[in-house]
């Protein structure tokens, strides 16, 4: 067995101790002496000198281009050389940066992810004018070559998983030509959370303290780097969309993204996860005793199988994070609604002009007495005011404590939070009141949601502007019998009655009222619109579900 510690001491001309580190192909060591610590890189036997040269030159280039970027220094050996050969292996050494790997933080703070995105944008901007022949070598981790996994899908024995990965590949195949049309540049190409270092600050928060492992560098569109980093932000979290958006927001702040790039980032992140899980399956067959190979396989499968987000919905989230309209049609739809304000048909067969505000918000309601459980009796009294004989309205954007059912929880534990901000308008009025379309519509969904504290009867209508932009309205807590004649595709005229409000035993257990909600898009939501949203995501959801008061 080669005594690498003895070799390192000879090459450095100092007494050092070596501790092995993880790596996929090469031998990596933490080398420490009394004065300094290093990372010793012992390359695989067949490694080309040009491959190491690429990494060294890229790291030096970054240090010059952005002197405030925490990047390891390249340390010369005693001989003055940066690369030496021992036992048919190339050896080089770099300084050790302070901090631990980002992967140790399972739930990553939003502010840290924004900082990481900004850091990644700075790296990509600095690499725009770097070039090296080795960037164009063929390699399995280059997203542009990712469809190699098509040929190995049979390695996935679970049929559902195989179908899932194939669908991601199909989606990626559809955008590959768009990727190839974007400008190419040098990429780090492996912003996974084991290559990103973080360090605790005095405040107790964390900050980015460095980037390591330039061995997967490639040439391609800059968004490849962002997508790769984003892929790992989707794992180990109850808020994958929030995390992904925070990273993209930070990146956009230092390297602005085009609308086209924003639309590609998430599909490419899914492809990175697909490559990762399939590669780990193949490598585990060769090296079943190496735990490093399968380190992200379980969390990646968990996300892909149970938490994967619709691509169009994620695109909308990223557009908002980068301060674009939630969809390309959003401004036109908003302008249409505002222009017709006051000229829509009444949503209810009653005069809303005298309506008063219902006390449903946190600061205006004593319910529920137990903040973690709303009783059936309390639900029947929500919005009820004994001193008022008229209509009552529960406002848009209200923070409320009444949503205590498990469906409103953000995770498995109460401290993880819950959805609590109302994103529609509630109109409290007698059961049996007629519900009408504010403008011409087509029925999109009709359902009877019978679970306690759900909608009971529910209808979603689709509308179209003169410019052929679609938007949508939802009507909840209806009498299921009153909408039994409806089916998807039915046409409804402006002002036409299509249902009636339900009583407490028909509308999910609530006091009689209409939940009225407007949506700019339904991608990834179908009929499952959240009527109540996570306070931390209110800014986004208010763009998807704007205030419907104008209707």
């Amino acid at each position: 067995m080669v005594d690498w510690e003895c070799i390192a001491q000879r090459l450095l001309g100092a007494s050092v101790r070596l501790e092995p580190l993880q790596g996929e192909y090469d031998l990596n060591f933490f080398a420490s002496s009394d004065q300094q610590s290093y990372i010793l890189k012992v390359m695989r036997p067949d490694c080309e000198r040009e491959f190491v040269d690429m990494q060294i030159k890229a790291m030096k280039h970054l240090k010059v281009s952005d002197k405030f970027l925490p990047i390891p220094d390249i340390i010369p050996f005693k001989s003055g050389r940066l690369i030496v050969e021992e036992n048919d292996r190339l050896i080089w050494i770099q300084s050790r940066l302070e901090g631990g790997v980002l992967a140790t933080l399972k739930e990553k703070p939003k502010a840290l992810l924004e900082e990481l995105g900004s850091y990644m944008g700075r790296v990509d901007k600095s690499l725009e004018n770097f070039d090296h022949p080795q960037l164009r070598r063929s390699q399995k981790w280059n997203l542009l070559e990712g469809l190699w996994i098509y040929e190995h899908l049979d390695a996935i024995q679970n049929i559902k998983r195989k179908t899932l990965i194939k669908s991601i590949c199909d989606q990626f195949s559809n955008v590959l030509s768009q990727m190839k049309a974007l400008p190419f540049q040098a990429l780090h190409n492996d912003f996974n959370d084991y290559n990103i270092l973080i360090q605790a600050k005095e405040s107790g928060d964390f900050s980015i303290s460095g980037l390591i492992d330039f061995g997967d560098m490639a040439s391609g569109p800059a968004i490849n780097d962002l997508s790769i980093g984003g892929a790992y932000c989707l794992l180990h979290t109850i808020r994958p969309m929030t995390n992904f958006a925070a990273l993209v927001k930070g990146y956009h702040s230092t390297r602005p993204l085009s609308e086209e790039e924003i639309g590609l980032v998430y599909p490419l992140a899914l492809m990175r996860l697909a490559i990762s899980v399939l590669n780990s399956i193949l490598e585990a067959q060769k090296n079943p005793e190496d735990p490093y190979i399968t380190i992200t396989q379980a969390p990646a499968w968990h996300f892909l199988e149970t938490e994967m987000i619709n691509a169009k919905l994620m695109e909308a989230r990223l557009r908002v994070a980068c301060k674009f309209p939630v969809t390309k049609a959003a401004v036109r739809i908003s302008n249409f609604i505002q222009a017709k304000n006051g000229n829509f048909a009444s949503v209810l067969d009653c005069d809303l002009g005298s309506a008063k505000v219902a006390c449903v918000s946190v600061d205006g309601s004593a319910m529920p007495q137990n903040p973690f459980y709303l009783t059936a009796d309390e639900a029947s009294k929500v919005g009820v005011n004994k001193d008022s004989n008229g209509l009552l309205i529960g406002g848009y954007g209200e923070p409320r404590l009444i949503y205590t059912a498990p469906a409103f929880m953000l995770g498995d534990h109460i401290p993880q939070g819950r959805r609590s901000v109302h994103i529609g308008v509630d109109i409290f009025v007698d059961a049996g009141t007629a519900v009408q379309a504010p403008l011409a519509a087509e029925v999109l969904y009709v359902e009877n949601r019978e679970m306690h504290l759900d909608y009971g009867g529910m209808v979603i209508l689709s509308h179209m502007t003169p410019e052929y932009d679609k938007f949508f309205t939802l009507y909840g807590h209806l009498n299921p019998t009153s909408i039994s004649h409806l089916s998807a595709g039915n046409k409804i005229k402006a002002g036409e009655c299509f249902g009636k409000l339900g009583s407490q035993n028909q509308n999910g257990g609530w006091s009689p009222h209409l939940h009225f909600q407007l949506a700019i898009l339904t991608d990834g939501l179908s009929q499952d619109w959240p009527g109540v949203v996570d306070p931390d995501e209110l800014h986004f959801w208010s763009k998807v579900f704007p205030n419907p008061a104008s209707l």
Side-chain angles (χ1 to χ4, degrees):
M1 180 177 291
V2 179
D3 188 344
W4 293 112
E5 187 167 275
C6 182
I7 292 172
Q9 291 178 1
R10 172 167 50 82
L11 293 173
L12 289 167
S15 176
V16 295
R17 298 173 299 280
L18 297 188
E19 298 177 25
L21 302 172
Q22 292 178 326
E24 187 175 7
Y25 298 115
D26 307 312
L27 301 178
N28 299 309
F29 297 97
F30 170 57
S32 59
S33 66
D34 293 336
Q35 289 79 34
Q36 199 170 355
S37 57
Y38 318 88
I39 301 297
L40 185 74
K41 309 277 289 185
V42 180
M43 309 306 288
R44 50 197 173 276
D46 59 347
C47 178
E48 297 180 15
R49 184 174 290 266
E50 280 292 293
F51 175 67
V52 179
D53 181 71
M54 172 194 69
Q55 297 178 63
I56 291 174
K57 287 181 176 175
M59 294 164 76
K60 285 190 165 188
H61 175 85
L62 287 171
K63 298 284 285 188
V64 172
S65 300
D66 187 339
K67 62 181 180 180
F68 296 110
L69 273 176
I71 299 291
D73 290 309
I74 305 302
I75 308 297
F77 289 106
K78 182 182 177 181
S79 63
R81 290 181 293 169
L82 300 180
I83 308 171
V84 299
E85 185 172 350
E86 292 280 342
N87 293 86
D88 298 321
R89 288 176 179 254
L90 299 176
I91 306 176
W92 56 299
I93 197 164
Q94 56 188 252
S95 63
R96 175 183 176 271
L97 298 178
E98 295 297 323
V101 296
L102 177 63
T104 58
L105 290 183
K106 297 308 180 186
E107 193 65 64
K108 299 167 179 63
K110 183 178 173 181
L112 181 63
L113 293 175
E114 286 189 23
E115 182 187 341
L116 172 59
S118 174
Y119 178 90
M120 292 168 61
R122 289 167 59 194
V123 169
D124 280 346
K125 278 185 68 69
S126 296
L127 288 175
E128 284 177 353
N129 58 354
F130 176 76
D131 194 22
H132 195 282
Q134 280 287 308
L135 293 173
R136 288 170 284 281
R137 74 198 185 284
S138 179
Q139 57 147 321
K140 65 182 179 181
W141 292 113
N142 188 338
L143 275 174
L144 291 168
E145 302 177 42
L147 290 179
W148 66 265
I149 68 174
Y150 259 142
E151 301 174 9
H152 300 277
L153 292 177
D154 286 341
I156 306 173
Q157 296 181 354
N158 183 295
I159 299 300
K160 287 185 178 180
R161 286 184 168 184
K162 183 192 298 187
T163 302
L164 174 59
I165 297 301
K166 183 181 183 302
S167 70
I168 293 173
C169 290
D170 292 342
Q171 183 183 31
F172 175 80
S173 179
N174 292 334
V175 301
L176 187 56
S177 60
Q178 284 180 264
M179 288 177 62
K180 291 181 176 179
L182 294 172
F184 278 34
Q185 66 162 77
L187 306 172
H188 177 272
N189 202 47
D190 195 13
F191 277 99
N192 82 67
D193 49 6
Y194 281 89
N195 287 338
I196 298 157
L197 302 181
I198 58 172
Q199 192 171 20
K201 298 186 289 187
E202 289 185 7
S203 63
D205 297 325
F206 291 92
S207 62
I208 304 300
S209 61
L211 174 67
I212 58 175
D213 194 353
F214 286 71
D216 287 333
M217 287 191 73
S219 177
I223 56 166
N224 286 16
D225 266 348
L226 177 57
S227 298
I228 291 166
Y232 297 93
C233 292
L234 296 168
L235 312 182
H236 301 293
T237 178
I238 60 172
R239 290 184 173 93
M241 189 158 64
T242 302
N243 282 7
F244 200 88
L247 185 83
V248 172
K249 178 182 178 181
Y251 187 93
H252 183 70
S253 70
T254 53
R255 186 199 167 274
L257 296 160
S258 68
E259 291 182 89
E260 181 183 18
E261 288 176 315
I262 290 171
L264 291 172
V265 172
Y266 182 62
L268 303 193
L270 294 181
M271 188 62 185
R272 170 65 179 214
L273 292 179
I275 294 170
S276 179
V277 295
L278 189 51
N279 179 71
S280 68
I281 290 172
L282 296 174
E283 292 299 322
Q285 292 173 352
K286 302 175 190 175
N287 305 286
E289 303 301 320
D290 187 350
Y292 180 75
I293 291 170
T294 58
I295 202 162
T296 62
Q297 188 176 147
W301 278 125
H302 175 77
F303 172 78
L304 293 174
E305 292 180 305
T306 66
E307 312 235 355
M308 191 159 61
I309 301 157
N310 175 273
K312 287 294 184 182
L313 183 61
M314 179 64 91
E315 180 181 353
R317 180 66 185 87
L318 301 183
R319 288 177 63 88
V320 171
C322 297
K323 299 185 178 180
F324 287 103
V326 67
T327 69
K328 291 180 180 180
V331 174
R332 294 194 299 268
I333 293 169
S334 178
N335 290 341
F336 166 75
I337 293 174
Q338 292 304 318
K340 281 185 65 68
N341 188 4
N343 295 306
F344 293 107
S346 179
V347 172
L348 289 171
D349 185 21
C350 57
D351 180 13
L352 298 178
S354 61
K356 297 181 180 179
V357 176
C359 296
V360 185
S361 64
V362 171
D363 61 350
S365 174
M367 292 187 291
Q369 290 189 357
N370 178 347
F372 305 115
Y373 181 71
L374 180 74
T375 67
D377 181 61
E378 288 175 321
S380 71
K381 296 176 181 176
V382 170
V384 174
N385 186 340
K386 295 179 181 179
D387 298 325
S388 174
N389 296 320
L391 299 174
L392 292 168
I393 292 183
Y396 174 87
E398 280 187 346
R400 299 176 174 179
L401 294 179
I402 61 176
Y403 304 111
T404 60
F408 297 106
M409 299 290 292
L410 294 174
D412 297 328
H413 308 287
I414 289 173
Q416 292 176 309
R418 66 190 187 198
R419 294 184 289 120
S420 60
V421 180
H422 191 242
I423 204 71
V425 169
D426 287 334
I427 307 169
F428 295 90
V429 66
D430 293 338
T433 301
V435 181
Q436 303 161 163
L439 69 166
E442 179 179 317
V443 176
L444 197 61
Y445 296 105
V446 182
E447 284 189 352
N448 180 18
R449 299 191 171 186
E450 299 178 281
M451 288 187 64
H452 182 55
L453 302 184
D454 208 320
Y455 279 135
M458 185 273 292
V459 173
I460 295 177
L461 302 181
S462 172
H463 312 277
M464 188 174 291
T465 72
E467 294 180 283
Y468 302 102
D469 296 316
K470 286 186 177 182
F471 64 98
F472 313 88
T473 50
L474 179 148
Y475 308 79
H477 308 300
L478 309 183
N479 180 340
T481 304
S482 73
I483 58 174
S484 61
H485 66 288
L486 295 177
S487 58
N490 288 165
K491 304 296 184 182
I492 298 177
K493 297 177 182 179
E496 180 181 342
C497 171
F498 61 86
K500 296 183 178 181
L501 291 185
S503 60
Q504 185 183 357
N505 61 357
Q506 298 167 327
N507 71 0
W510 301 95
S511 54
H513 72 284
L514 173 69
H515 173 87
F516 181 52
Q517 192 168 344
L518 166 66
I520 301 299
L521 75 155
T522 58
D523 296 300
L525 300 171
S526 59
Q527 69 271 44
D528 294 320
W529 299 14
V532 183
V533 299
D534 178 0
D536 289 343
E537 282 293 286
L538 178 59
H539 179 67
F540 167 61
W541 289 117
S542 66
K543 305 299 182 183
V544 176
F545 304 118
N547 193 332
S550 295
L551 290 172

